[in-house]
Amino acid sequence: MFKSHRYGLMTSIVGIAAVIVLLFVYRNLAWHGLIDHEIKAHTTLTQVFSNSIWPTYAAFLLDAARFPKAKLQQHEVTSRLHRDVARYIARSSVVKVKIYDLDGLTVFSTDAAQIGQDKSRNSGFVSAKNGVPIGKITFRDRFDTFEGVIVDRNLVSSYIPIRISDNAPVEAVFELYSDVTGLVGDLKKHQRQIIFWVVGSLSLCYLILFVMVRQADRTIHKRDKQHSDDKAKIHYQAHNDALTGLHNRTSFTERLEEAVKRARRAGCMLGLLQFDLDHFKLVNDSLGQSAGDQVLRTSARRMQVCIRESDMLFRTGSDQFAVIMEPLRNIEDASRLASRIIEAMAEPMKVHDQDIMVTASIGISIFPQDDINAEMLVKNSDAAMHLAKHEGRNQYRYYASEMKQQALDRLDFETGLKLALQQDEFVLYYQPRVESGSEEIVAVEALLRWAHPERGLVPPNSFIPLLEEMGLINSVGEWVLRTACRQTKKWHDSGMPRIRVSVNISSGQFRTHSFVDMVKDALDLSELDAQYLELELTESVLIENIDSAIKVMEALKEIGVSISIDDFGSGYSSLNYLKLLPLDFLKIDRTFVKDLATSEKDVAIIKTIAALAHSLRIKLVAEGVEEGYQAEFLRSQNCYEFQGFLYSPPVPSAAIPDMITSREVRRAV
Ligand code: C2E
Ligand code: MG
Ligand code: MG
């Protein structure tokens, strides 16, 4: 993290250091200024001395070397000179005076004891002898002066050449000491004040800077935290499913690749289980999306409880889940987990106050036995899952190599389906619907077939769910609607009795907002009178969003088409909605008709549905009528129309006119 206050502190330290250096420079300058000032004063004094006193004593002093030291110290001339010098320096800051001849001999000193000392090597003396005055500042804790001993003093001592005039040769050297303790004290006081103000203001600045930088640091820290929180959130959303909180497909692909690599390195087995909830679409379509969501959440929770800590559970698709078992000690562990999940799912789920059963079909593939590549393992378990579904659902299957072929076939099938519409491979068969009393053909139901180039005529149940999954149901549905209308109009134009055509509408098709327009277009294009078109809807279409369904149905009624509910009783029937809908027909699901002879319950159900339809003035149609006794019973229940193998299976369009004619002929006979 960026710690800006550290940089602030460092900057302040550098600032303080710079100020200390500046103070040091200032102190030196002041020191030198003081010395220079004293040298100048000493030079002036020396000048005065040279002009006034020196001429009197020069001859004696320049010849003083001839006297022994003691004699010189006590010489009468020396005493006189002492008095003159005393007078001369009175009222100045000079506290001591020494005079050297050009050989460096101390020929005079206000401290008589020093007379006779040799100073020829002293650098100050040498400099002055060469004509350059020089000075320095020193501190003495004890110092002998002209007027006695002084203590703790700052002194400036300077060596000044003595000459008669500026250009005259140097005759001797004067050494003067002046007491600058007062000045130095002032200087130090100033220095202290400057230090106080500078350090004080700097500290204040630093304090302000510190507070500001700390504040900025906090903001940056907060922003950094927000940033990393956002990153974590984005990562979570990208790798997790919002509904169940499980890892999602992206995460699955990444983790499986990694797990396969690890298993390859460690030389151990890995299990991949893929499951799909059986008939989940039905739950979604009939109970609504929120119920579907609840089922998914409950299923995810139940699965989560079944897996081991080392296993990973993913939601890989709408109702699809996967588990990576890593490591897999033995193949039976995969079976055990699959069984546990199937068992856990077997418990009924409470959804919107209804108990519903949701089962799962599971496919298992094993690394390295089935494949060593992650992508292929997914394909293999997918194929195994489809086998489990195909063989009755609510079970698990292991991948077997023959499935590869089946998976390829499925892929082929899907590819073929995509092209079927362009390649004109769809055909409509028509199954007659007869009036129960006269047994005359009054309508036909259009039933879709796929004329597969290799497989022959493929029934709709094996490809309509696929068309829905692949998002092709609308374009194919539109083709069915247009073809059925065109065909019926053709029959009408040929002069045979006018029959209705009923067309099956899938829920996806019904939900598209352009559905009513699609129906209008089909009628306009074919010029078929709307009263001859019937649309068969399933219950699931209605339950999902009853209000919008009613609106669409009313719009359809306005055009003039009839509406029927297909396979009535097989879905999540709510008898309540019947009274709300503008219905013309109810088609009882053929499963009730099938077991009429043996099932008293089915008899009771049909009776109830018939009574209900009758009271709501909706015409009842029975599908799957195969036997005479079924027709007999249904007729007794005021069933209005029959459809079933007893009369005719679905046939190509060309067969219909003959059928109508032959029935008419039979009736006439
Ligand atoms: P459905 O609408 O209930 O169609 C009636 C089904 O019952 C037809 O199956 C028909 O062949 C079959 N059937 C008729 N009489 C009897 C009988 O006496 N006994 C038995 N056991 N079965 C009989 P098919 O043609 O295989 O159609 C299956 C389903 O596919 C249809 O059920 C319908 O839901 C759907 N379907 C067919 N064509 C279309 C279509 O164009 N669009 C949509 N969305 N669905 C379609
Ligand atoms: Mg139908
Ligand atoms: Mg039906």
Side-chain angles (χ1 to χ4, degrees):
M1 197 189 54
F2 180 66
K3 283 272 180 205
S4 45
H5 70 261
R6 273 192 206 152
Y7 292 102
L9 182 67
M10 273 164 62
T11 318
S12 305
I13 288 172
V14 169
I16 289 171
V19 167
I20 289 171
V21 169
L22 283 175
L23 280 172
F24 186 74
V25 169
Y26 164 78
R27 182 181 173 276
N28 269 4
L29 287 175
W31 234 234
H32 279 111
L34 181 67
I35 293 169
D36 282 353
H37 174 267
E38 287 306 307
I39 290 175
K40 265 187 203 141
H42 290 178
T43 307
T44 313
L45 268 175
T46 309
Q47 200 62 53
V48 175
F49 177 81
S50 305
N51 294 335
S52 56
I53 300 171
W54 176 253
T56 315
Y57 295 95
F60 171 77
L61 291 174
L62 293 179
D63 202 24
R66 68 195 148 95
F67 297 108
K69 192 172 159 187
K71 186 116 190 260
L72 187 57
Q73 286 171 352
Q74 287 151 19
H75 202 284
E76 176 258 338
V77 178
T78 305
S79 306
R80 234 185 313 135
L81 178 58
H82 190 102
R83 279 194 302 274
D84 284 348
V85 167
R87 228 179 303 122
Y88 157 73
I89 59 172
R91 289 200 296 276
S92 77
S93 61
V94 176
V95 290
K96 186 173 180 177
V97 172
K98 283 163 111 181
I99 300 170
Y100 306 103
D101 69 5
L102 292 180
D103 293 328
L105 178 70
T106 312
V107 289
F108 174 75
S109 171
T110 47
D111 177 7
Q114 288 177 330
I115 295 174
Q117 282 177 354
D118 179 19
K119 280 290 185 115
S120 57
R121 286 168 187 278
N122 182 290
S123 59
F125 163 75
V126 175
S127 173
K129 181 186 163 189
N130 292 330
V132 181
I134 194 167
K136 69 172 187 207
I137 195 159
T138 50
F139 176 78
R140 296 282 174 88
D141 29 2
R142 192 190 143 78
F143 191 67
D144 283 321
T145 72
F146 184 65
E147 286 173 332
V149 174
I150 52 175
V151 290
D152 291 340
R153 292 296 153 133
N154 289 99
L155 301 163
V156 171
S157 66
S158 44
Y159 294 84
I160 315 288
I162 300 174
R163 41 164 68 116
I164 299 301
S165 66
D166 281 353
N167 297 325
V170 175
E171 292 181 16
V173 170
F174 217 24
E175 187 184 0
L176 296 107
Y177 286 84
S178 51
D179 184 358
V180 290
T181 310
L183 287 174
V184 168
D186 287 349
L187 207 66
K188 282 187 174 166
K189 195 173 146 202
H190 281 142
Q191 242 176 315
R192 272 197 301 275
Q193 280 173 346
I194 292 172
I195 288 173
F196 173 79
W197 285 113
V198 169
V199 171
S201 352
L202 262 179
S203 304
L204 192 69
C205 283
Y206 172 69
L207 196 73
I208 294 169
L209 191 71
F210 180 79
V211 170
M212 278 163 56
V213 167
R214 258 266 298 265
Q215 202 57 39
D217 234 12
R218 276 195 194 137
T219 315
I220 291 167
H221 176 74
K222 219 164 119 184
R223 208 197 50 211
D224 278 357
K225 195 173 170 307
Q226 181 71 36
H227 187 63
S228 63
D229 284 357
D230 286 353
K231 249 168 81 179
K233 202 167 147 193
I234 290 169
H235 185 268
Y236 182 85
Q237 283 168 349
H239 289 80
N240 287 74
D241 161 45
L243 181 70
T244 58
L246 296 179
H247 298 292
N248 63 13
R249 173 137 219 121
T250 314
S251 183
F252 170 65
T253 317
E254 288 172 9
R255 298 286 180 96
L256 183 63
E257 296 270 1
E258 287 162 13
V260 165
K261 270 187 210 152
R262 271 197 298 272
R264 200 175 290 153
R265 269 201 302 272
C268 57
M269 284 200 295
L270 183 144
L272 173 61
L273 278 72
Q274 285 209 80
F275 8 115
D276 187 287
L277 302 186
D278 301 326
H279 300 302
F280 175 73
K281 200 172 170 311
L282 197 63
V283 176
N284 236 357
D285 284 352
S286 53
L287 297 181
Q289 206 174 336
S290 77
D293 287 352
Q294 201 179 325
V295 166
L296 288 172
R297 273 195 296 264
T298 312
S299 306
R301 256 200 318 275
R302 289 185 185 180
M303 290 171 189
Q304 191 88 61
V305 173
C306 298
I307 63 170
R308 303 173 304 182
E309 215 164 295
S310 57
D311 299 336
M312 283 175 283
L313 175 64
F314 305 84
R315 183 178 171 215
T316 52
S318 69
D319 60 336
Q320 279 157 4
F321 297 84
V323 171
I324 301 173
M325 297 183 79
E326 184 200 6
L328 184 70
R329 275 176 308 150
N330 51 55
I331 292 178
E332 292 72 44
D333 278 356
S335 308
R336 260 178 233 125
L337 176 61
S339 305
R340 266 205 308 277
I341 289 172
I342 287 172
E343 240 172 72
M345 297 297 292
E347 285 283 306
M349 285 183 198
K350 242 233 178 345
V351 176
H352 290 182
D353 286 335
Q354 281 190 43
D355 275 335
I356 64 164
M357 299 284 293
V358 179
T359 56
S361 300
I362 307 178
I364 307 172
S365 62
I366 307 286
F367 170 93
Q369 163 183 314
D370 296 332
D371 213 294
I372 51 163
N373 169 289
E375 200 182 330
M376 284 315 291
L377 284 171
V378 173
K379 285 199 173 131
N380 294 347
S381 55
D382 201 49
M385 184 182 78
H386 277 103
L387 181 71
K389 271 205 184 301
H390 189 70
E391 292 186 349
R393 306 170 199 270
N394 193 21
Q395 55 189 330
Y396 67 86
R397 286 287 178 271
Y398 277 95
Y399 171 74
S401 52
E402 318 81 69
M403 278 180 209
K404 223 174 237 169
Q405 194 49 49
Q406 287 170 14
L408 288 176
D409 286 354
R410 189 179 134 94
L411 204 67
D412 246 17
F413 191 71
E414 283 184 14
T415 319
L417 199 54
K418 265 186 213 156
L419 298 172
L421 195 60
Q422 295 161 27
Q423 295 180 349
D424 230 3
E425 288 170 359
F426 286 122
V427 278
L428 284 188
Y429 268 44
Y430 296 88
Q431 188 176 30
R433 287 164 57 173
V434 304
E435 196 192 291
S436 58
S438 62
E439 296 198 331
E440 254 177 52
I441 299 175
V442 286
V444 286
E445 176 175 5
L447 293 158
L448 184 60
R449 304 286 181 264
W450 176 18
H452 193 280
E454 286 145 29
R455 300 184 187 202
L457 222 49
V458 184
N461 286 338
S462 56
F463 66 86
I464 285 197
L466 263 179
L467 281 178
E468 285 186 358
E469 244 174 64
M470 292 159 72
L472 295 173
I473 193 68
N474 275 331
S475 42
V476 176
E478 184 171 27
W479 178 87
V480 172
L481 201 59
R482 290 186 177 186
T483 311
C485 290
R486 203 173 43 237
Q487 180 59 63
T488 312
K489 174 68 177 163
K490 238 192 226 169
W491 286 325
H492 290 183
D493 289 349
S494 70
M496 58 182 225
R498 298 198 161 199
I499 52 167
R500 278 181 291 118
V501 68
S502 68
V503 175
N504 293 286
I505 305 297
S506 79
S507 58
Q509 215 180 333
F510 184 78
R511 274 199 301 266
T512 49
H513 63 276
S514 55
F515 178 64
V516 178
D517 291 334
M518 189 198 284
V519 175
K520 266 190 211 156
D521 286 350
L523 289 168
D524 289 349
L525 282 172
S526 62
E527 297 177 350
L528 178 73
D529 195 337
Q531 62 171 308
Y532 295 108
L533 176 63
E534 178 186 321
L535 302 176
E536 295 192 11
L537 310 175
T538 53
E539 288 161 289
S540 59
V541 166
L542 309 168
I543 290 177
E544 206 168 297
N545 187 346
I546 187 84
D547 295 329
S548 78
I550 291 175
K551 275 194 196 123
V552 177
M553 286 165 87
E554 277 165 356
L556 291 170
K557 292 300 304 175
E558 244 169 65
I559 303 172
V561 300
S562 318
I563 300 172
S564 54
I565 298 288
D566 199 3
D567 304 336
F568 184 75
S570 65
Y572 293 86
S573 313
S574 163
L575 301 180
N576 245 346
Y577 68 72
L578 280 185
K579 62 172 187 253
L580 303 171
L581 305 174
L583 291 180
D584 300 280
F585 301 96
L586 264 191
K587 296 184 81 178
I588 308 179
D589 191 60
R590 62 180 171 279
T591 51
F592 300 115
V593 177
K594 191 170 143 242
D595 298 329
L596 265 183
T598 52
S599 166
E600 279 179 23
K601 276 187 189 156
D602 285 351
V603 169
I605 289 172
I606 290 181
K607 280 184 178 168
T608 314
I609 295 175
L612 182 77
H614 196 248
S615 65
L616 292 172
R617 298 205 171 75
I618 302 171
K619 290 172 183 154
L620 202 61
V621 180
E623 297 184 294
V625 181
E626 293 180 356
E627 308 286 344
Y629 74 87
Q630 292 168 335
E632 202 65 40
F633 171 75
L634 290 160
R635 204 174 280 121
S636 74
Q637 296 302 314
N638 292 321
C639 198
Y640 180 73
E641 273 177 28
F642 297 151
Q643 179 182 346
F645 295 165
L646 179 63
Y647 303 98
S648 166
V651 293
S653 59
I656 294 291
D658 273 355
M659 260 182 199
I660 294 178
T661 328
S662 63
R663 279 196 172 272
E664 280 199 329
V665 170
R666 206 172 66 188
R667 202 159 56 89
V669 170

